[in-house]
Amino acid sequence: MPSIASTVIQWINQHPPDGYAAYGSTPDPRPERYITVQRSGGVRDRYKDDAMLIVQVHAPTRSQAADTAEQVADLLLDMWQLPEIADIEIHSIADMTLNGPPIDHRHQITAEITTTT
């Protein structure tokens, strides 16, 4: 079974917001808009995996990052359609803009996704 981060990246790339692609780390060269997905923790036992994920949306403007983060959060909530997904919770959507230079407009989604193992 692939990692939940890989599953989320694949899901986002199958249903991408306009002009975005998802990656496991910042691509080089860095595009104008992109999404990164990383596992930041969670609890795993014999029967289930409660993964905590950080999903960051990078965009040319703060408002584009915010709007796209809302779209991506809704997209994550739609992952219930996958048979291995038992539950999805969005814990937060926060502005994580770095003032640079250069300025990096980004919004961060913290999500918990439970899968059966």
Side-chain angles (χ1 to χ4, degrees):
M1 172 187 254
S3 73
I4 187 59
S6 294
T7 301
V8 170
I9 290 167
Q10 182 178 14
W11 180 261
I12 292 170
N13 286 334
Q14 288 173 349
H15 311 88
D18 285 343
Y20 288 84
Y23 305 90
S25 61
T26 301
D28 184 20
R30 186 182 300 215
E32 186 175 47
R33 44 177 65 82
Y34 64 98
I35 299 165
T36 58
V37 179
Q38 292 140 358
R39 183 174 180 144
S40 63
V43 177
R44 183 180 181 138
D45 64 26
R46 176 174 267 172
Y47 305 105
K48 66 179 179 151
D49 185 6
D50 289 319
M52 191 66 65
L53 298 170
I54 300 297
V55 179
Q56 292 189 336
V57 176
H58 300 258
T61 69
R62 188 174 294 206
S63 64
Q64 288 174 351
D67 292 346
T68 305
E70 293 290 340
Q71 292 174 32
V72 171
D74 289 341
L75 189 58
L76 295 175
L77 291 171
D78 286 341
M79 287 183 70
W80 65 266
Q81 298 172 58
L82 298 174
E84 67 270 23
I85 303 296
D87 192 26
I88 304 123
E89 293 180 15
I90 303 299
H91 289 266
S92 68
I93 302 173
D95 183 352
M96 301 295 282
T97 295
L98 296 175
N99 289 323
I103 294 175
D104 182 13
H105 297 289
R106 64 183 178 163
H107 268 59
Q108 178 172 293
I109 303 161
T110 305
E112 184 175 354
I113 301 180
T114 303
T115 57
T116 55
T117 56

